[in-house]
Amino acid sequence: MSIRCAGAEDVEALAGLATQNLLARLAEGPAAAGDHHLVARIGNIAAGLLVSRPNVQQPEVQDLVSLMVTPLFRRRGIGRALLRQLSADMAQAGRKALGAVWSDRLPQLESFHAVLMREGWETPTPWRLRMSFRVGDRVEAMQLAARRIAAAREAGLSSLTLAAAGAEAIPRLLAHAQAVQAAGRLPAWADPAPWLPIGTPAVSQLLVDGHGTIRGWLMAQYQTASGRWLAPIGWCETGPSHMLLAMDAWLAALEETQGPGATVVLHPTLNDGAKVCRLLDRHFRPHALWADHLITSRKAL
């Protein structure tokens, strides 16, 4: 067995181990900065493929995106050999850790967990609840949240898009977020600053009180590769249930600008967003196109 970096010359041989998106990327030539893809070969056969790239928010962490071994050569240590090579290559490149996120619906889930553990990764832990919906199907689901939405309005809150809030909305939002964070009331994960450059102002929401003071936000991001909309962060200082008011307005704005067929994915964390997860799981899961939990693990280098 030999292991080397995967390139354009491997595209045809990797057809059974990679998605069309990855094959197209390999066919373009040299990998993007920081991408590191490995192919394991036995003779002329591509027996395994590992795909990795730098973490968007933590460039010192290399994310394992995919690890595939052709069925004929499974249970021969090829996956572990690819992981060991990735560890060696990334340590040499100066990365501090490896990371991975995957679905609990992954085929052969327990086998994958066992491979990671044998290679020194942390115990896999549940990380996010993830649900997908068509925005046009939201009405019945949001009726279940009507009481909480009414309570948010009774508390004096309203929700409007960043675009509708005017040219000063983004500077105001950044200044308010900095002030709340400095006061110790805003968790680091809820900082809107990293998401504003890649967000969509016509859908992203601001929660404001009766005095016009910003009290929360819900960002909107379009994922071009998967053709779906994401709410990467949402936070409200008056309570997580009040986020349902912003969600209702977020979905309405999405339908208005993108049409009822637009697909949205919600993925709150199971730690910081535990209350939101319980709300979604209890009331919204029956209306979802699909739902799963994301699992995560890391390995220090």
Side-chain angles (χ1 to χ4, degrees):
M1 182 180 67
S2 63
I3 296 177
R4 60 171 174 78
C5 290
E9 68 277 9
D10 297 301
V11 169
E12 183 176 350
L14 292 171
L17 290 174
T19 65
Q20 289 302 312
N21 285 341
L22 176 60
L23 293 175
R25 193 166 183 174
L26 289 175
E28 291 173 358
D35 283 11
H36 195 65
H37 313 320
L38 299 170
V39 58
R41 284 184 168 271
I42 296 179
N44 293 323
I45 300 174
L49 173 68
L50 182 150
V51 179
S52 76
R53 56 174 171 252
N55 184 283
V56 174
Q57 295 178 305
Q58 297 176 292
E60 73 277 8
V61 177
Q62 188 78 1
D63 281 342
L64 172 65
V65 177
S66 177
L67 178 64
M68 293 290 294
V69 176
T70 192
L72 180 63
F73 295 106
R74 286 177 184 164
R75 301 187 182 280
R76 299 191 185 186
I78 294 174
R80 293 185 65 185
L82 285 165
L83 288 171
R84 284 195 295 272
Q85 188 64 53
L86 177 67
S87 295
D89 292 349
M90 291 301 97
Q92 187 173 10
R95 299 286 193 274
K96 302 300 182 185
L98 303 178
V101 175
W102 62 93
S103 169
D104 65 354
R105 299 168 75 177
L106 184 74
Q108 301 187 35
L109 183 66
E110 295 305 319
S111 295
F112 179 60
H113 288 186
V115 167
L116 291 182
M117 296 286 285
R118 290 190 190 111
E119 290 304 313
W121 289 61
E122 296 174 356
T123 301
T125 56
W127 178 46
R128 288 187 182 274
L129 168 68
R130 190 170 58 167
M131 292 185 183
S132 178
F133 302 85
R134 273 189 297 265
V135 67
D137 298 336
R138 77 185 192 283
V139 176
E140 186 176 356
M142 293 310 295
Q143 284 177 347
L144 298 170
R147 191 172 49 145
R148 288 184 170 87
I149 293 171
R153 291 197 175 104
E154 289 171 5
L157 295 179
S158 59
S159 190
L160 71 163
T161 67
L162 271 175
E168 294 301 311
I170 290 179
R172 282 180 57 218
L173 172 57
L174 290 172
H176 181 74
Q178 289 175 357
V180 178
Q181 195 165 34
R185 300 199 309 273
L186 179 67
W189 60 265
D191 184 1
W195 302 103
L196 288 170
I198 56 176
T200 304
V203 181
S204 296
Q205 298 288 315
L206 285 182
L207 281 166
V208 297
D209 63 20
H211 303 288
T213 302
I214 295 172
R215 305 302 298 271
W217 44 85
L218 183 64
M219 298 293 106
Q221 179 192 8
Y222 182 65
Q223 294 185 322
T224 305
S226 56
R228 62 192 187 187
W229 288 82
L230 191 70
I233 61 163
W235 181 80
C236 181
E237 59 185 307
T238 59
S241 66
H242 288 172
M243 284 302 305
L244 290 167
L245 173 61
M247 178 58 65
D248 190 42
W250 192 95
L251 293 171
L254 189 57
E255 182 169 16
E256 181 180 349
T257 59
Q258 306 299 321
T263 301
V264 60
V265 174
L266 308 178
H267 66 170
T269 64
L270 292 165
N271 41 36
D272 298 315
K275 292 182 179 179
V276 175
C277 287
R278 286 196 293 272
L279 284 171
L280 290 174
D281 222 354
R282 183 180 307 154
H283 298 301
F284 286 28
R285 187 182 283 268
H287 306 281
L289 294 172
W290 53 262
D292 66 356
H293 285 90
L294 293 179
I295 300 173
T296 186
S297 180
R298 286 169 66 101
K299 177 184 178 181
L301 295 177

